[in-house]
Amino acid sequence: MTFEQILEMDDDEEEREFSRSIVFGFFEQAENTFKSMDTSLANKDLDTLSSLGHFLKGSSATLGLTKVKDSCEKIQHYGAHKDDTGNTAVSDSNLCLERIKATMTALKRDYSEAESILRRFYHDTPA
C-alpha cells in the first residue's frame, strides 16, 4: 500500500481521518523508535539497531518517505555488520556504529522535514 492509496481510503477529503490517523501514528512510532535507537547506539547494540532500522523502514516506505526509508535500510545493514548496500560484510563493529551514528543524524533531519510537510498537509502545527 502506498500513501496515495491510503489517501484514497479517506471518506472526507477535508478531514482525512483515516490517513491522518496512520500518519500521526507513524510520527509517534518514529519518535519512539528514535529513542530506542539512541539507547541501542549508546549500548553498542548492533542487532537491536538493525531490527529497529528494519522496523521503521517498512512504515516509512508505506508513506513514501524515501529518504527516511533509505536511511533506515542503511542502519539495518550496518547493524547486521554489512556495508550500506547490505552486500559486503564489515567485521569492524566500531565502524558500523560510527556509520549508524552518522546515518541517524541524516535520518532525524529527513524525518523532521517530512514531518513538517505532512503536518502542513493535515493543517497541523508541530507540537
Side-chain angles (χ1 to χ4, degrees):
M1 183 171 286
T2 65
F3 186 59
E4 188 173 309
Q5 291 170 315
I6 292 169
L7 290 177
E8 289 174 4
M9 297 177 80
D10 282 323
D11 291 329
D12 179 348
E13 288 191 19
E14 288 297 314
E15 294 295 318
R16 295 204 176 274
E17 288 180 37
F18 179 76
S19 65
R20 181 184 182 90
S21 69
I22 291 173
V23 169
F24 282 72
F26 171 75
F27 293 159
E28 185 176 330
Q29 179 187 76
E31 294 294 334
N32 288 332
T33 302
F34 292 154
K35 288 176 188 170
S36 296
M37 285 179 160
D38 289 337
T39 299
S40 297
L41 187 61
N43 294 333
K44 300 182 179 184
D45 186 347
L46 287 169
D47 289 336
T48 300
L49 285 161
S50 181
S51 295
L52 291 168
H54 177 75
F55 173 72
L56 197 56
K57 177 181 75 172
S59 52
S60 58
T62 298
L63 294 179
L65 306 179
T66 306
K67 288 181 180 180
V68 173
K69 176 195 71 80
D70 290 347
S71 289
C72 289
E73 187 170 33
K74 287 179 184 179
I75 290 169
Q76 177 186 352
H77 292 321
Y78 296 146
H81 286 93
K82 296 183 179 176
D83 68 356
D84 61 339
T85 65
N87 294 322
T88 305
V90 177
S91 60
D92 185 344
S93 294
N94 287 325
L95 178 60
C96 292
L97 289 164
E98 287 173 24
R99 289 176 174 173
I100 288 172
K101 186 175 182 179
T103 304
M104 282 178 56
T105 299
L107 168 62
K108 290 177 181 180
R109 181 194 62 235
D110 293 338
Y111 165 78
S112 182
E113 289 174 13
E115 179 189 24
S116 178
I117 291 166
L118 286 167
R119 285 189 183 277
R120 281 196 307 271
F121 177 79
Y122 287 101
H123 310 291
D124 185 76
T125 54

